[in-house]
Amino acid sequence: MIKRVTVPGLFPPPTYSHASLVEAGTKLAFLAGAVPLDEKGELVGAGDPVRQAEQVIGNLREQLHAVGSALEHVVSTEVYVVSGETSVLSAVWEVVESSGLSRGPHSSTLLGVSCLGYTGQLVEITATAVVPEPEVA
């Protein structure tokens, strides 16, 4: 269903693929950015990008579950981090890697940005995922 491609002539990515190929006719879910808010709309992990990334992954997991998918079916993400420091981006990426998203591995872009939509928000992740057909018993 998903073919993960690492291009031989390019530098090998450590925990993601260069491309993900999905056959036509497969159901895809295009998810809005997962943000570090709890179920009450409160910011989780103020000032802590790693804690916010953990909350974002948890929220992304819930979004995927709601549409019949899961982290291992994600084909592409964009990870936004409010920072210009490579070490901060790397710390957030470690959370992404340990989440199960790297099992594919999915295709991803990691970006340092100047601000995001909610006051105090430091991390956001958008995703595209395959929604597998239900197993027939």
Side-chain angles (χ1 to χ4, degrees), residues 89-104:
L89 275 67
S90 294
V92 168
W93 186 252
E94 287 178 23
V95 174
V96 172
E97 282 183 330
S98 67
S99 72
L101 280 168
S102 63
R103 267 186 266 163

Side-chain angles (χ1 to χ4, degrees):
M1 182 174 5
I2 304 169
K3 181 179 179 184
R4 320 268 185 186
V5 179
T6 300
V7 181
L10 298 177
F11 182 78
T15 55
Y16 60 92
S17 60
H18 288 120
S20 298
L21 183 63
V22 179
E23 189 174 319
T26 300
K27 188 185 295 186
L28 297 175
F30 299 89
L31 304 180
V35 298
L37 302 180
D38 66 15
E39 64 279 352
K40 297 175 191 162
E42 300 291 325
L43 181 72
V44 173
D48 184 350
V50 169
R51 178 63 192 105
Q52 287 195 18
E54 292 166 348
Q55 180 69 34
V56 166
I57 291 293
N59 290 349
L60 180 61
R61 188 178 281 115
E62 291 297 319
Q63 287 174 267
L64 290 161
H65 179 75
V67 297
S69 192
L71 290 173
E72 64 267 19
H73 300 297
V74 170
V75 294
S76 180
T77 62
E78 292 79 34
V79 181
Y80 302 92
V81 182
V82 176
S83 181
E85 298 294 323
T86 306
S87 61
V88 175
L89 275 67
S90 294
V92 168
W93 186 252
E94 287 178 23
V95 174
V96 172
E97 282 183 330
S98 67
S99 72
L101 280 168
S102 63
R103 267 186 266 163
H106 70 297
S107 301
S108 188
T109 300
L110 175 63
L111 301 161
V113 298
S114 61
C115 71
L116 291 167
Y118 291 100
T119 301
Q121 180 184 358
L122 301 174
V123 179
E124 184 163 338
I125 300 176
T126 62
T128 302
V130 168
V131 179
E133 293 294 324
E135 303 224 0
V136 179

